[in-house]
Amino acid sequence: MTLTADAQEDARRPRIVIVGGGFGGLSAAQTLARVRADITLIDRRNHHLFQPLLYQVATAVLSPAQIAQPIRTVFRDQKNVRVVLDEVIGIDAPARIVRTQQQGDIPFDYLILAVGASHDYFGKDDWAEYAPGLKSLEDATNIRRRILEAFERAETAESEDERRAFLTFCIVGGGPTGVEMAGAIAELAHRTLRGEFRRFDPATAQVILIEAGPRVLSSMPEDLSEKARRGLEKLGVTVRTGKMVTNCLPDRIELGEESLACRTIIWAAGVRASAAGNWLAAKQDRAGRVIVEKNLSVPGSPDVFVIGDTAAVFTDDGRPVPGVAPAAKQQGKFVAALIADRIAGRDTSSRRFVYDDQGNLATIGRSQAVVHMGRLKLSGTVAWWFWGIVHIFFLIDFRNRMSVLLDWLMTYLTYGRGSRLITDPPRPRGPDIS
Ligand SMILES: Cc1cc2nc3c(=O)[nH]c(=O)nc-3n(C[C@H](O)[C@H](O)[C@H](O)COP(=O)(O)OP(=O)(O)OC[C@H]3O[C@@H](n4cnc5c(N)ncnc54)[C@H](O)[C@@H]3O)c2cc1C
């Protein structure tokens, strides 16, 4: 039997497997659009998620579908990509095989691992039950339910102490996510819920942001982090820096000797890379990120690349490349271009990834944000508009952009929140406070 020219061509096409349809994986697959290769994109979820707006789902401003897009839809017109919904459970790098839960072994010629990161409780994983973190849509709707339910429980509380505990919200970690969550919960309590309860005033809720370091937004210049702190305090958030959480329980949080009655804790303190380092038995940093070569390949496996939040990458002056969306996208693009050139037979031996730092943004609340880009520093309303435009622009789908824009305008004009739904089963009442 003789093969047709097309079939021979197909049999020779290199197989590129990309694990993860987040910012890094998507950008790699899109950069490979014109390459004659068979690309398999594996993700355990069917959607690409715009994590920077997750806190708005968790605080009822946006609904889940507004910040997510089916990965299959993204690649509808890119015929060299096949999307596979499955969980990767291991890699055999020498045999060039990806092991998956459902489909078994998937062979590759080139492999890109972009599996992101998850929460880190610094060895106290039992805290996760009482102090959920924010990484996925499920996390966001779970946190939304906890926040909204806390106000409902405050209405029916049997004692003042119990009501106070339901109206105390502790957010652990003063990075961008912690700051954004604290500001959004304070606005919910002080503005959105005004007049809706009969037995208490929602504005009496306490929102406490706890940070172990000396200041919030530590990756920003000091003056901007001070502005962020003042902005939070203006919204009614209590900012407690230099405080280390020592225990999280269903009805309280402990900070050394101090114990605070509190029914809602949100964890925004630690990040741990996904398991790629273990699959590859590769050298990792303290957060489990794979320490990669300058071209983002795994030492000893030149055709296996790790990018985004899963990789430990350093700039030429030794500073770590931050775990942010632009870094993951740039790395995806870089690795895809390198693979395309190798397939085309070009020499790639001198390639090295160079990070283009596009700055740092964080929003604090309505009309308040901080922006640091090179020598440019912005705060207040101008920064807030800038933050909003950037986020709308980077949302992946036009329909999502329009619907987020409309919801933001409504929230801005009315302080209302369109997604105040308690959709999952109620949480157990927890211990009584006497
Ligand atoms: C709440 C929050 C707010 C953020 N805000 C900002 C911000 O404002 N600006 C900014 O630049 N960055 C922000 N970030 C960081 C940014 O989202 C990440 O740096 C970026 O998503 C990293 O991209 P990635 O491709 O490495 O991983 P991800 O985007 O996390 O994608 C990883 C993908 O891998 C999949 N996956 C994981 N394990 C497996 C497996 N075993 N098998 C199959 N699939 C798997 C996941 O389902 C996911 O789709 C925020 C992050 C969070 C959590």
mmCIF file of all heavy atoms in Angstrom, residues 130-148:
data_model
loop_
_atom_site.group_PDB
_atom_site.id
_atom_site.type_symbol
_atom_site.label_atom_id
_atom_site.label_comp_id
_atom_site.label_asym_id
_atom_site.label_seq_id
_atom_site.Cartn_x
_atom_site.Cartn_y
_atom_site.Cartn_z
ATOM 1 N N TYR A 130 -11.487 26.316 56.016
ATOM 2 C CA TYR A 130 -12.065 27.505 56.652
ATOM 3 C C TYR A 130 -11.593 28.801 55.992
ATOM 4 O O TYR A 130 -12.155 29.859 56.253
ATOM 5 C CB TYR A 130 -11.692 27.541 58.143
ATOM 6 C CG TYR A 130 -11.870 26.212 58.815
ATOM 7 C CD1 TYR A 130 -10.808 25.560 59.432
ATOM 8 C CD2 TYR A 130 -13.121 25.597 58.787
ATOM 9 C CE1 TYR A 130 -10.982 24.321 60.008
ATOM 10 C CE2 TYR A 130 -13.292 24.350 59.364
ATOM 11 C CZ TYR A 130 -12.223 23.718 59.976
ATOM 12 O OH TYR A 130 -12.397 22.496 60.537
ATOM 13 N N ALA A 131 -10.535 28.711 55.208
ATOM 14 C CA ALA A 131 -9.970 29.914 54.595
ATOM 15 C C ALA A 131 -9.720 29.635 53.112
ATOM 16 O O ALA A 131 -8.585 29.470 52.686
ATOM 17 C CB ALA A 131 -8.665 30.280 55.311
ATOM 18 N N PRO A 132 -10.807 29.569 52.317
ATOM 19 C CA PRO A 132 -10.623 29.214 50.908
ATOM 20 C C PRO A 132 -9.842 30.283 50.154
ATOM 21 O O PRO A 132 -9.894 31.465 50.483
ATOM 22 C CB PRO A 132 -12.066 29.116 50.384
ATOM 23 C CG PRO A 132 -12.873 29.963 51.308
ATOM 24 C CD PRO A 132 -12.215 29.878 52.647
ATOM 25 N N GLY A 133 -9.114 29.829 49.129
ATOM 26 C CA GLY A 133 -8.368 30.755 48.274
ATOM 27 C C GLY A 133 -9.123 30.957 46.973
ATOM 28 O O GLY A 133 -10.162 30.335 46.722
ATOM 29 N N LEU A 134 -8.587 31.808 46.123
ATOM 30 C CA LEU A 134 -9.283 32.216 44.898
ATOM 31 C C LEU A 134 -8.411 31.910 43.687
ATOM 32 O O LEU A 134 -7.437 32.618 43.415
ATOM 33 C CB LEU A 134 -9.545 33.730 44.999
ATOM 34 C CG LEU A 134 -10.395 34.383 43.925
ATOM 35 C CD1 LEU A 134 -11.776 33.748 43.837
ATOM 36 C CD2 LEU A 134 -10.539 35.873 44.189
ATOM 37 N N LYS A 135 -8.758 30.831 42.963
ATOM 38 C CA LYS A 135 -7.991 30.474 41.762
ATOM 39 C C LYS A 135 -8.898 30.078 40.608
ATOM 40 O O LYS A 135 -8.542 30.244 39.456
ATOM 41 C CB LYS A 135 -7.076 29.265 42.068
ATOM 42 C CG LYS A 135 -5.716 29.628 42.571
ATOM 43 C CD LYS A 135 -4.791 30.043 41.454
ATOM 44 C CE LYS A 135 -3.564 30.739 41.984
ATOM 45 N NZ LYS A 135 -2.865 31.474 40.939
ATOM 46 N N SER A 136 -10.051 29.476 40.951
ATOM 47 C CA SER A 136 -10.923 28.943 39.904
ATOM 48 C C SER A 136 -12.316 29.557 40.035
ATOM 49 O O SER A 136 -12.625 30.226 41.034
ATOM 50 C CB SER A 136 -11.026 27.422 40.062
ATOM 51 O OG SER A 136 -11.658 27.132 41.304
ATOM 52 N N LEU A 137 -13.169 29.277 39.061
ATOM 53 C CA LEU A 137 -14.554 29.767 39.151
ATOM 54 C C LEU A 137 -15.275 29.137 40.339
ATOM 55 O O LEU A 137 -16.079 29.785 40.997
ATOM 56 C CB LEU A 137 -15.305 29.438 37.854
ATOM 57 C CG LEU A 137 -14.960 30.319 36.655
ATOM 58 C CD1 LEU A 137 -15.737 29.865 35.425
ATOM 59 C CD2 LEU A 137 -15.238 31.790 36.930
ATOM 60 N N GLU A 138 -14.959 27.858 40.615
ATOM 61 C CA GLU A 138 -15.598 27.192 41.768
ATOM 62 C C GLU A 138 -15.196 27.909 43.059
ATOM 63 O O GLU A 138 -16.026 28.121 43.942
ATOM 64 C CB GLU A 138 -15.181 25.714 41.864
ATOM 65 C CG GLU A 138 -15.720 24.831 40.771
ATOM 66 C CD GLU A 138 -14.830 24.820 39.529
ATOM 67 O OE1 GLU A 138 -13.965 25.710 39.394
ATOM 68 O OE2 GLU A 138 -15.008 23.923 38.688
ATOM 69 N N ASP A 139 -13.901 28.285 43.151
ATOM 70 C CA ASP A 139 -13.454 29.031 44.337
ATOM 71 C C ASP A 139 -14.241 30.336 44.457
ATOM 72 O O ASP A 139 -14.666 30.729 45.544
ATOM 73 C CB ASP A 139 -11.965 29.418 44.225
ATOM 74 C CG ASP A 139 -11.040 28.211 44.263
ATOM 75 O OD1 ASP A 139 -11.445 27.164 44.788
ATOM 76 O OD2 ASP A 139 -9.897 28.327 43.760
ATOM 77 N N ALA A 140 -14.410 31.008 43.322
ATOM 78 C CA ALA A 140 -15.060 32.330 43.353
ATOM 79 C C ALA A 140 -16.519 32.215 43.779
ATOM 80 O O ALA A 140 -16.992 32.997 44.606
ATOM 81 C CB ALA A 140 -14.953 33.000 41.987
ATOM 82 N N THR A 141 -17.240 31.203 43.248
ATOM 83 C CA THR A 141 -18.657 31.099 43.626
ATOM 84 C C THR A 141 -18.800 30.590 45.070
ATOM 85 O O THR A 141 -19.721 30.955 45.776
ATOM 86 C CB THR A 141 -19.460 30.205 42.653
ATOM 87 O OG1 THR A 141 -18.773 28.964 42.498
ATOM 88 C CG2 THR A 141 -19.611 30.860 41.298
ATOM 89 N N ASN A 142 -17.821 29.796 45.500
ATOM 90 C CA ASN A 142 -17.818 29.343 46.898
ATOM 91 C C ASN A 142 -17.609 30.548 47.836
ATOM 92 O O ASN A 142 -18.332 30.722 48.824
ATOM 93 C CB ASN A 142 -16.698 28.294 47.074
ATOM 94 C CG ASN A 142 -16.474 27.897 48.516
ATOM 95 O OD1 ASN A 142 -17.401 27.901 49.328
ATOM 96 N ND2 ASN A 142 -15.237 27.555 48.852
ATOM 97 N N ILE A 143 -16.656 31.406 47.505
ATOM 98 C CA ILE A 143 -16.404 32.590 48.350
ATOM 99 C C ILE A 143 -17.607 33.534 48.304
ATOM 100 O O ILE A 143 -18.035 34.076 49.324
ATOM 101 C CB ILE A 143 -15.094 33.290 47.918
ATOM 102 C CG1 ILE A 143 -13.903 32.410 48.304
ATOM 103 C CG2 ILE A 143 -14.967 34.675 48.550
ATOM 104 C CD1 ILE A 143 -12.557 32.914 47.814
ATOM 105 N N ARG A 144 -18.181 33.698 47.107
ATOM 106 C CA ARG A 144 -19.375 34.568 46.984
ATOM 107 C C ARG A 144 -20.485 34.065 47.907
ATOM 108 O O ARG A 144 -21.115 34.836 48.631
ATOM 109 C CB ARG A 144 -19.839 34.555 45.522
ATOM 110 C CG ARG A 144 -21.062 35.410 45.279
ATOM 111 C CD ARG A 144 -21.479 35.366 43.827
ATOM 112 N NE ARG A 144 -22.048 34.075 43.447
ATOM 113 C CZ ARG A 144 -22.424 33.753 42.205
ATOM 114 N NH1 ARG A 144 -22.267 34.610 41.220
ATOM 115 N NH2 ARG A 144 -22.931 32.568 41.941
ATOM 116 N N ARG A 145 -20.693 32.745 47.885
ATOM 117 C CA ARG A 145 -21.728 32.171 48.751
ATOM 118 C C ARG A 145 -21.424 32.447 50.226
ATOM 119 O O ARG A 145 -22.296 32.868 50.985
ATOM 120 C CB ARG A 145 -21.813 30.654 48.516
ATOM 121 C CG ARG A 145 -22.770 29.945 49.452
ATOM 122 C CD ARG A 145 -22.913 28.485 49.093
ATOM 123 N NE ARG A 145 -21.659 27.749 49.083
ATOM 124 C CZ ARG A 145 -20.991 27.359 50.160
ATOM 125 N NH1 ARG A 145 -21.458 27.649 51.347
ATOM 126 N NH2 ARG A 145 -19.863 26.686 50.047
ATOM 127 N N ARG A 146 -20.158 32.255 50.614
ATOM 128 C CA ARG A 146 -19.799 32.467 52.023
ATOM 129 C C ARG A 146 -20.038 33.916 52.446
ATOM 130 O O ARG A 146 -20.521 34.176 53.546
ATOM 131 C CB ARG A 146 -18.324 32.117 52.259
ATOM 132 C CG ARG A 146 -18.089 30.630 52.302
ATOM 133 C CD ARG A 146 -16.604 30.335 52.341
ATOM 134 N NE ARG A 146 -16.397 28.904 52.267
ATOM 135 C CZ ARG A 146 -15.853 28.172 53.244
ATOM 136 N NH1 ARG A 146 -15.443 28.740 54.347
ATOM 137 N NH2 ARG A 146 -15.690 26.874 53.100
ATOM 138 N N ILE A 147 -19.663 34.851 51.566
ATOM 139 C CA ILE A 147 -19.815 36.270 51.930
ATOM 140 C C ILE A 147 -21.303 36.626 52.055
ATOM 141 O O ILE A 147 -21.744 37.201 53.054
ATOM 142 C CB ILE A 147 -19.136 37.170 50.870
ATOM 143 C CG1 ILE A 147 -17.616 36.957 50.871
ATOM 144 C CG2 ILE A 147 -19.456 38.643 51.126
ATOM 145 C CD1 ILE A 147 -16.893 37.619 49.698
ATOM 146 N N LEU A 148 -22.081 36.239 51.031
ATOM 147 C CA LEU A 148 -23.505 36.611 51.054
ATOM 148 C C LEU A 148 -24.230 35.920 52.203
ATOM 149 O O LEU A 148 -25.079 36.517 52.875
ATOM 150 C CB LEU A 148 -24.163 36.255 49.716
ATOM 151 C CG LEU A 148 -23.607 37.016 48.498
ATOM 152 C CD1 LEU A 148 -24.268 36.531 47.212
ATOM 153 C CD2 LEU A 148 -23.801 38.525 48.646
#
